[in-house]
Amino acid sequence: MWKPKIINTDNFLYLAVADALENDIRTGVLRPGEKLPAHRELAEIIGINVSTATRAYQEAERRGLISGTTGRGTYVSAAVRTDPSILDIDGNSSSYIDLGPVYPLYSQETDMFGLIEKLSRKGNLNEYVKYSNPQGHPWHREAGAKWMQSYGINVSPEDIVICAGTQHALTCCFISLFQPGESIGVDKLTYSGLKALVKELKIKLVPIDFDEEGMDPENLESACHREQLKGIYIMSGTHNPTTITMSTGRKKELAGIAVQNDLIVIEDNTYGFTMESQLLSMYSLIPDRCIHIEGLSKAFYAGLRVSFVVAKNPFKNPMIKAILNTIWMTPTLNSAIVSEAIMEGYAKKIVASKLAEAKKRYESAELYLNGFTFHGFPNTYFIWLELPDHWNAYEFEMYAKKAGINVFGAEKFVVGSTLPPKAVRISLSGVDSREVLAEGLKGVATLLKEEPFEFHSVL
């Protein structure tokens, strides 16, 4: 049972307890996943009142150090040793073979010069450098509706909202539809950018079990009552990081639970374009309860930062207000270039080229990781690699970095006190060439065969 040895009594008492907890986690006294005393027990151990103990735990949870689940207790966060950010803002990534972040295969994109020239001949470019409707220009929303048709979603342009990328769309969802302290159900392994975002907004993520078909309905139903969930976040195409594809039957089950429990469903289809066959969307099942996000950055022209969001009222107007309050509007010239690419067929050709390149990169993974277990499919941008028993995800990520290879261990994706599986995500699109990818994959294969202490001895 945890008992802090040193508390700085010069600070507010609840902050002093939170600081002591953080110190013991950082120094290894407390381990990821370790259970902590209940609020009342902690108060008795330290000699403080229960409300102070509760505030201390709340502060520690705000810092991402611990997570609490009603009926199960409070635990040290399993991801406490990792930063959920996917980019190295210190600029050190150039020293690695970068198999961490998932990038859009830039080399397969058509030069934009011809596209912009064609757009400029229409004579209305000056209209795109003025303030405009936060929802987006009507013609650009038409392009968004056309893009949605590729995924079996037939909507009016009036139900399209244009955001500056998926992360901005998620930000607008959370600041407009949720309040600090409210809870959202997510897969117990989820998109790391979501974790970083909700931490800033003080929204609680509740981990939900999943299997090979997606989020577990029974576990979700239980969490709805136990945690008073207000919504759920799902990845309807390729799940990040595991590459699981949610079945149609599972989507129907989850849709029923969402209706029964009045949940807001946020459906992220960032990697939907990589799927070989069209999938039923959650939005198609419950359009009045679902916000569907189609991020284009992985498909084409990431730097333009455009995503299309399908949202009917009562969600649409709050989303539009959130866009206005964050960036006023998605840059209209960017939206115009993206829309021209969609309407004139450029986008379709770019995607086809990227999927062909992704398939060749997946073949490289099959070649160099032969004999190891990983999950993915021919068009995928990343794979989920299971580790041998002698490795854990955190150690493997650290040793790989020492060997000059950047990968993302499972801890980057775990939610709350979920124990991370022995697995890492390997990006197949994070490097410019297949030759560099091959070098990185060979390095990963070599490391997999080594014992951690053996590999350390030769570094």
Side-chain angles (χ1 to χ4, degrees):
M1 188 68 68
W2 176 65
K3 180 177 181 180
K5 293 182 172 59
I6 301 174
I7 294 180
N8 179 12
T9 54
D10 292 336
N11 205 346
F12 288 110
L13 196 51
Y14 81 95
L15 290 176
V17 175
D19 289 342
L21 180 60
E22 180 167 10
N23 180 69
D24 282 357
I25 291 173
R26 301 298 183 198
T27 58
V29 174
L30 289 169
R31 306 289 293 174
E34 188 169 336
K35 190 171 184 179
L36 294 168
H39 296 208
R40 188 171 297 280
E41 289 178 295
L42 180 64
E44 292 175 356
I45 290 169
I46 301 177
I48 57 178
N49 61 46
V50 177
S51 62
T52 300
T54 298
R55 287 190 72 189
Y57 273 167
Q58 288 172 341
E59 172 62 19
E61 188 163 13
R62 185 193 68 78
R63 298 180 192 181
L65 301 170
I66 64 173
S67 62
T69 304
T70 305
R72 291 189 61 240
T74 302
Y75 295 79
V76 177
S77 173
V80 72
R81 295 180 294 188
T82 62
D83 182 348
S85 301
I86 60 173
L87 294 180
D88 178 8
I89 59 175
D90 294 325
N92 298 320
S93 61
S94 60
S95 61
Y96 306 116
I97 296 176
D98 207 349
L99 308 185
V102 178
Y103 289 132
L105 295 172
Y106 301 116
S107 62
Q108 306 304 306
E109 293 182 353
T110 305
D111 190 305
M112 286 201 306
F113 179 78
L115 185 63
I116 295 173
E117 186 179 43
K118 194 169 188 177
L119 183 64
S120 67
R121 286 201 296 266
K122 295 184 177 180
N124 58 352
L125 282 185
N126 285 341
E127 290 300 310
Y128 300 144
V129 292
K130 300 176 181 178
Y131 283 113
S132 65
N133 186 333
Q135 184 177 356
H137 190 284
W139 179 67
H140 305 160
R141 288 189 274 113
E142 283 184 34
K146 181 177 179 179
W147 185 259
M148 293 294 172
Q149 289 174 0
S150 304
Y151 305 101
I153 300 176
N154 296 308
V155 293
S156 163
E158 283 303 307
D159 292 325
I160 298 288
V161 177
I162 302 178
C163 288
T166 296
Q167 197 73 4
H168 180 235
L170 290 172
T171 301
C172 290
C173 284
F174 291 130
I175 65 175
S176 65
L177 303 175
F178 298 87
Q179 296 296 319
E182 291 184 328
S183 298
I184 299 172
V186 298
D187 294 311
K188 62 184 181 181
L189 294 170
T190 196
Y191 165 49
S192 57
L194 178 74
K195 292 172 55 181
L197 173 61
V198 299
K199 181 180 177 181
E200 295 291 334
L201 299 177
K202 298 180 175 58
I203 293 171
K204 182 180 180 181
L205 294 184
V206 176
I208 309 296
D209 290 340
F210 63 88
D211 57 25
E212 67 278 358
E213 291 189 70
M215 186 177 284
D216 181 69
E218 185 175 340
N219 196 241
L220 173 61
E221 186 75 69
S222 174
C224 284
H225 303 295
R226 185 182 69 245
E227 300 286 348
Q228 296 182 316
L229 298 184
K230 186 173 181 180
I232 58 173
Y233 166 83
I234 63 167
M235 287 165 274
S236 59
T238 305
H239 180 268
N240 181 8
T242 66
T243 76
I244 286 171
T245 301
M246 189 181 293
S247 69
T248 297
R250 182 59 54 85
K251 287 177 183 175
K252 290 179 178 178
E253 289 183 89
L254 297 181
I257 293 172
V259 172
Q260 292 166 10
N261 292 276
D262 197 28
L263 299 179
I264 299 171
V265 179
I266 301 173
E267 182 177 34
D268 181 351
N269 197 38
T270 294
Y271 295 100
F273 73 97
T274 65
M275 306 303 297
E276 292 185 334
S277 58
Q278 183 177 294
L279 301 174
L280 179 72
S281 70
M282 186 75 82
Y283 179 85
S284 298
L285 294 170
I286 47 171
D288 295 329
R289 295 236 51 81
C290 184
I291 299 167
H292 182 91
I293 302 172
E294 288 287 345
L296 303 182
S297 294
K298 297 299 189 294
F300 65 98
Y301 301 146
L304 295 179
R305 307 305 302 141
V306 173
S307 64
F308 295 122
V309 180
V310 186
K312 292 180 176 290
N313 275 326
F315 305 139
K316 184 176 77 172
N317 286 342
M319 283 286 292
I320 295 171
K321 185 176 179 181
I323 294 169
L324 179 64
N325 290 339
T326 52
I327 59 172
W328 190 287
M329 76 236 181
T330 299
T332 318
L333 182 57
N334 293 11
S335 300
I337 296 170
V338 163
S339 299
E340 185 76 7
I342 292 171
M343 292 301 202
E344 297 298 325
Y346 285 76
K348 188 175 181 180
K349 291 177 182 177
I350 292 171
V351 168
S353 178
K354 289 193 175 189
L355 297 186
E357 173 66 15
K359 186 173 183 179
K360 291 175 182 175
R361 293 186 177 218
Y362 183 77
E363 290 170 356
S364 292
E366 290 182 310
L367 174 64
Y368 294 111
L369 298 178
N370 182 36
F372 300 101
T373 301
F374 67 86
H375 306 274
F377 52 91
N379 294 338
T380 189
Y381 276 31
F382 56 88
I383 58 173
W384 187 238
L385 174 66
E386 296 184 19
L387 300 175
D389 287 341
H390 57 267
W391 282 109
N392 66 50
Y394 179 76
E395 283 182 336
F396 190 86
E397 180 179 339
M398 293 302 103
Y399 279 112
K401 190 160 289 188
K402 290 178 182 178
I405 304 168
N406 187 31
V407 300
F408 286 168
E411 286 183 313
K412 191 173 285 287
F413 306 97
V414 297
V415 177
S417 58
T418 302
L419 291 178
K422 294 176 178 289
V424 296
R425 193 190 75 181
I426 305 288
S427 170
L428 303 180
S429 65
V431 292
D432 291 335
S433 70
R434 272 177 261 152
E435 290 74 19
V436 177
L437 174 64
E439 184 181 349
L441 292 172
K442 283 188 282 188
V444 167
T446 298
L447 182 55
L448 287 168
K449 297 171 186 175
E450 300 284 351
E451 294 284 345
F453 69 91
E454 290 176 348
F455 195 87
H456 179 72
S457 66
V458 299
L459 289 178

